[in-house]
Amino acid sequence: MITENELLIKEIVCAIRRLVRAVYLDTEKMSRRFGLTGPQSGVLRTLSEHGPLSSADLSRKLYVTPANITGIIDRLEKKGLAIRIRKPGDRRIALITLTKRGTDLSKSIPDPIEKDIISGLADLEPHQVQKLSRAMCQISSLIAAKQTGDAPLELNNIHKQSENEKSHL
């Protein structure tokens, strides 16, 4: 016989899977419609919001490794959406800047799923948000303790994982 606690655990796991699936589908829709990967659209949004940034700053803001951010920027440059400009006074640092085309595209990209979550959470009472925050932190720490710690995400590994997940669907 399944206990109430086991049923609740299954509900939590199912909810996490639905969330992961929703994020995946949102990314796929973005890719088909705009020819951008999730990380590429993330870079466009971040640069649009914050202005020119170094690749190290982008890496930190998007929680990806410097090596991954370099590849993302390379692909955005090839598409004519971003350029690297040497920082005045320190030629060792290149600032990543949106081109006119990149700026225009960043304005037409729909809000990511995170905006829906933020909007929904804003409608809740503060004590409900606090409970959810604590619960999400606990779940995150359960996963992070075993897999990632505080290290930036390796997008190549995530892509391989999502390909494996697709083959199992």
Side-chain angles (χ1 to χ4, degrees):
M1 183 165 159
I2 296 177
T3 67
E4 183 178 347
N5 197 45
E6 289 171 327
L7 285 173
L8 291 171
I9 290 169
K10 284 184 179 189
E11 284 181 31
I12 291 168
V13 171
C14 286
I16 291 169
R17 289 182 188 275
R18 284 191 306 273
L19 177 62
V20 168
R21 180 75 176 152
V23 170
Y24 172 78
L25 291 173
D26 189 57
T27 301
E28 285 294 306
K29 182 175 70 174
M30 181 79 63
S31 179
R32 281 192 304 277
R33 184 167 176 203
F34 296 98
L36 297 172
T37 64
Q40 288 171 352
S41 63
V43 168
L44 290 181
R45 278 191 199 92
T46 301
L47 292 173
S48 179
E49 183 179 336
H50 297 284
L53 295 170
S54 69
S55 59
D57 288 339
L58 274 171
S59 174
R60 282 188 288 275
K61 287 188 180 302
L62 296 171
Y63 301 99
V64 297
T65 64
N68 278 317
I69 206 72
T70 297
I72 296 166
I73 295 165
D74 288 345
R75 288 183 283 286
L76 288 173
E77 278 189 312
K78 285 180 186 170
K79 292 179 180 188
L81 301 173
I83 56 173
R84 289 175 171 98
I85 298 175
R86 293 285 168 208
K87 183 176 179 180
D90 190 350
R91 295 189 39 82
R92 296 171 296 166
I93 298 174
L95 295 177
I96 316 309
T97 306
L98 292 178
T99 62
K100 166 105 171 81
R101 192 166 152 234
T103 300
D104 292 345
L105 183 58
S106 72
K107 291 175 184 173
S108 66
I109 295 173
D111 288 336
I113 199 166
E114 289 89 358
K115 298 273 183 166
D116 294 338
I117 294 170
I118 291 167
S119 174
L121 289 171
D123 292 339
L124 298 177
E125 295 295 322
H127 73 277
Q128 292 173 303
V129 175
Q130 288 172 353
K131 281 175 135 177
L132 281 170
S133 175
R134 282 193 296 273
M136 292 303 296
C137 287
Q138 283 181 305
I139 289 170
S140 179
S141 70
L142 291 172
I143 296 166
K146 293 181 180 156
Q147 294 182 5
T148 61
D150 290 330
L153 298 176
E154 283 285 348
L155 294 178
N156 294 334
N157 293 338
I158 289 173
H159 179 69
K160 288 176 191 168
Q161 287 172 343
S162 70
E163 289 298 316
N164 290 338
E165 289 169 6
K166 277 198 278 188
S167 68
H168 292 7
L169 295 180

